[in-house]
Amino acid sequence: MAALRVVALSGSGRALLGTGNTLKTSKASMSFASLASRKKVALTTLGVVTAGGAGLALMLHQSVKASDWELHPPNYPWSHSGPLSSLDHASVRRGYQVYKQVCAACHSMEYLAFRNLVGVSHTEEEVKALAEEFEIVDGPDENGEMFTRPGKLSDYFPKPYPNPEAARAANNGALPPDLSSIVNARHGGEDYVFSLLTGYCDPPAGVSVREGLYYNPYFPGQAIGMAPPIYNEVLEFDDGTPATMSQVAKDVCTFLRWAAEPEHDQRKRMGLKFLMGSAIFIPLVYYIKRHKWSVLKSRKIAYRPPK
């Protein structure tokens, strides 16, 4: 390929080249020593305040962190924790049964509807039968009065209490949290929930727990108002799985993970498709880039000044 030649006009080129001796550029230089005394004091104060605030925030973070008696949940080998692993839908089905028979007495799931179970853990006919077991308050009718009707697929899970005040009154002042996104709302996710459900024990020597509270080393403060909700054979699974404490906790944690992320399986499936497409698309784009830019990247630019 012929080299590109850049030729400057004789008059303008000499004029531009000749102005190098006459033009002067000013160099901007700034240092801390050249600043005024007020600016020095202001910058020094700002630096001290920033460093002190960062140190104070770090100290407060360490002070309010888990105490010596609070345990951090271990990392359990969940079957859905892998980058390409899906949820165990049989476990999700059993977990819903645990929620319905054990947890729903105190905890709500107001962001989950019966229709969300269709195709995940139950068939449409099964979900319709589950929804019809509940009496839903609806209305008003043509007379302006509220009425009750059997539940349907579009209804959300009914709440155990009509309002937060009633929930506190029934639980000695403690408000049971909503479980729709509890796995994402707690540090540790399902590891924390599993450890909390199976971590009830007697307080160690020298630790006293107020009446009406229960000792749990995984709960912040170690004193929790919820009584131990699960134990061996707390219920009987429909599929015949032994309902041990660990099995019940595992299944309800899997169900809560699905409730917090209904798109869990679809997200990983789309990620796998994206990786497979990128494996073909990226090398192709790289080849086209090298092919199209080879002309520009291999050119030579030569400057020949006028004689």
Side-chain angles (χ1 to χ4, degrees):
M1 178 180 177
L4 179 63
R5 299 180 180 178
V6 180
V7 181
L9 297 177
S10 59
S12 60
R14 290 192 181 93
L16 291 174
L17 294 175
T19 57
N21 297 330
T22 58
L23 295 178
K24 295 182 180 180
T25 58
S26 59
K27 298 181 180 179
S29 60
M30 181 180 293
S31 62
F32 185 78
S34 61
L35 297 177
S37 58
R38 293 182 178 179
K39 293 184 177 180
K40 290 181 180 179
V41 174
L43 289 177
T44 303
T45 305
L46 179 61
V48 172
V49 171
T50 303
L56 179 61
L58 181 60
M59 293 174 61
L60 290 176
H61 176 71
Q62 295 295 333
S63 62
V64 300
K65 213 173 179 181
S67 63
D68 296 337
W69 295 104
E70 183 178 340
L71 296 180
H72 292 277
N75 295 324
Y76 293 101
W78 298 97
S79 60
H80 56 266
S81 60
L84 302 179
S85 302
S86 64
L87 290 168
D88 184 358
H89 290 263
S91 182
V92 173
R93 182 186 179 97
R94 294 192 299 268
Y96 170 74
Q97 184 179 353
V98 175
Y99 167 76
K100 178 184 176 182
Q101 298 184 14
V102 179
C103 307
C106 300
H107 296 275
S108 62
M109 296 191 75
E110 57 180 341
Y111 299 110
L112 207 64
F114 289 105
R115 65 175 180 267
N116 299 129
L117 298 173
V118 178
V120 177
S121 58
H122 299 74
T123 63
E124 184 175 351
E125 291 73 16
E126 290 175 337
V127 178
K128 287 182 179 179
L130 290 174
E132 291 174 355
E133 296 177 1
F134 297 92
E135 293 292 332
I136 306 299
V137 178
D138 202 350
D141 55 9
E142 61 273 8
N143 297 324
E145 297 180 356
M146 305 298 290
F147 62 93
T148 59
R149 58 166 177 81
K152 51 186 179 181
L153 291 178
S154 59
D155 292 325
Y156 286 83
F157 289 0
K159 299 179 181 180
Y161 304 103
N163 49 66
E165 288 71 18
R168 293 182 185 276
N171 292 276
N172 297 324
L175 178 63
D178 184 83
L179 300 182
S180 302
S181 302
I182 194 67
V183 171
N184 289 339
R186 296 296 184 268
H187 177 70
E190 52 264 56
D191 292 332
Y192 168 76
V193 178
F194 182 89
S195 301
L196 182 71
L197 293 176
T198 60
Y200 286 88
C201 60
D202 296 329
V207 176
S208 60
V209 179
R210 183 167 56 86
E211 183 180 359
L213 300 180
Y214 302 87
Y215 181 79
N216 194 313
Y218 295 99
F219 186 76
Q222 299 85 47
I224 184 172
M226 179 178 65
I230 60 174
Y231 47 86
N232 292 330
E233 306 299 332
V234 66
L235 77 165
E236 184 177 350
F237 287 123
D238 296 337
D239 58 359
T241 303
T244 61
M245 177 186 289
S246 58
Q247 182 67 46
V248 172
K250 178 257 184 185
D251 291 335
V252 74
C253 288
T254 305
F255 171 73
L256 293 177
R257 168 52 64 188
W258 168 80
E261 295 183 359
E263 76 287 350
H264 181 275
D265 293 352
Q266 184 180 4
R267 171 170 53 83
K268 291 187 177 181
R269 190 181 301 113
M270 292 300 297
L272 179 60
K273 292 180 180 179
F274 176 78
L275 293 178
M276 294 175 63
S278 300
I280 302 174
F281 182 71
I282 292 178
L284 181 61
V285 171
Y286 179 73
Y287 170 77
I288 295 176
K289 179 259 181 186
R290 291 294 299 259
H291 177 72
K292 295 297 183 181
W293 284 75
S294 61
V295 178
L296 297 176
K297 297 184 71 172
S298 61
R299 68 179 180 175
K300 296 181 180 180
I301 300 177
Y303 172 74
R304 296 183 178 180
K307 299 181 179 179

